[in-house]
Amino acid sequence: MSVARLHALGRRDALVWPVAILAIAFTVNVVMFAAIPSDAMGADPVTGALASIYVAALAFGAVAVNQHFPFALGLSVTRREFVAGLSLFGLVQVVVYSTLLVILQSIEHATGGWGMRLHFFGLGFVDRHSIPVQFLVYAVPMLAMTLAGTTAGALYLRWRATGLLSAVTVLMLLFGGTAALIGHYEAWPAVGHWLTHTSVVALAVGWPLLLVLLLAGGSWLALRRATP
């Protein structure tokens, strides 16, 4: 709890900024789509600007580790206590943000897309599901982004720029090699069929949840031997 309070005190501004960035992105999109004639828009315009709060979660994870880890160890906090406190704070942050998104999505659905059929929070599919599923659709990917940030920060603390750039290189080779193999065997239609016939809940919750487990383990393995 003390480590979690440390993150809360040190990240007070960061808790406000993601919401401010989201509000700015929302305002810009509403103004932009309001200026477009209704007959020039699609049936239900969808914007991807909701990603701004997820990018902010990624940045929080990286900054929280790099800024607070050396300070916490200087106060004789163990690595296990630091990870537990950071996990608690990150979970609370994800719950608060996801609850806010569910509320805003409900308002968007009730107002018919802010009076212009605009899908900003609902993304054209979220409002088709129950409230608990909506919460998971927002929360699990956000938790994955937060852990991606903490993993990047942990890799930097453990192996500095070499470790972080090596991880990025491995990911690029992995994704590039996978894409090359799919293209070589002309399997892109099968991939498209799988994506279109897999439920949105599985794609937005199930697979990101697997990523959460992998990133949580990776960040812990890096932090347990990291030095300030």
Side-chain angles (χ1 to χ4, degrees):
M1 291 300 296
S2 297
V3 177
R5 285 195 293 268
L6 170 66
H7 287 292
L9 291 174
R11 305 302 299 163
R12 188 172 298 167
D13 292 339
L15 289 173
V16 176
W17 267 110
V19 178
I21 293 172
L22 182 66
I24 293 171
F26 172 69
T27 302
V28 169
N29 277 267
V30 167
V31 172
M32 181 178 66
F33 279 94
I36 301 176
S38 58
D39 56 350
M41 290 193 301
D44 292 298
V46 179
T47 172
L50 182 63
S52 59
I53 196 169
Y54 289 85
V55 174
L58 173 69
F60 159 76
V63 172
V65 171
N66 281 279
Q67 283 190 348
H68 294 157
F69 183 77
F71 180 69
L73 262 61
L75 297 176
S76 299
V77 174
T78 66
R79 287 167 172 79
R80 188 181 299 274
E81 290 169 342
F82 177 82
V83 171
L86 178 59
S87 301
L88 176 60
F89 183 81
L91 283 173
V92 171
Q93 180 177 258
V94 167
V95 168
V96 171
Y97 287 160
S98 300
T99 301
L100 175 64
L101 293 178
V102 169
I103 294 172
L104 292 172
Q105 194 286 134
S106 299
I107 297 174
E108 178 177 275
H109 179 71
T111 58
W114 313 102
M116 59 185 75
R117 308 187 313 278
L118 174 64
H119 291 292
F120 183 92
F121 298 100
L123 301 176
F125 69 89
V126 179
D127 55 356
R128 302 172 188 171
H129 301 281
S130 63
I131 297 297
V133 174
Q134 291 180 25
F135 177 83
L136 291 176
V137 168
Y138 290 126
V140 176
M142 188 177 298
L143 184 59
M145 291 292 284
T146 302
L147 284 170
T150 60
T151 302
L155 288 173
Y156 181 81
L157 283 175
R158 179 69 176 86
W159 292 287
R160 303 303 174 188
T162 300
L164 185 58
L165 293 176
S166 297
V168 172
T169 302
V170 170
L171 288 176
M172 291 177 62
L173 292 174
L174 178 62
F175 287 117
T178 301
L181 285 175
I182 293 175
H184 176 73
Y185 290 103
E186 299 181 350
W188 283 114
V191 173
H193 181 271
W194 176 78
L195 289 173
T196 55
H197 288 76
T198 303
S199 69
V200 173
V201 176
L203 293 175
V205 178
W207 289 103
L209 185 59
L210 177 60
L211 183 61
V212 164
L213 298 176
L214 293 174
L215 291 172
S219 59
W220 165 244
L221 289 176
L223 279 177
R224 65 184 299 185
R225 294 186 179 276
T227 55

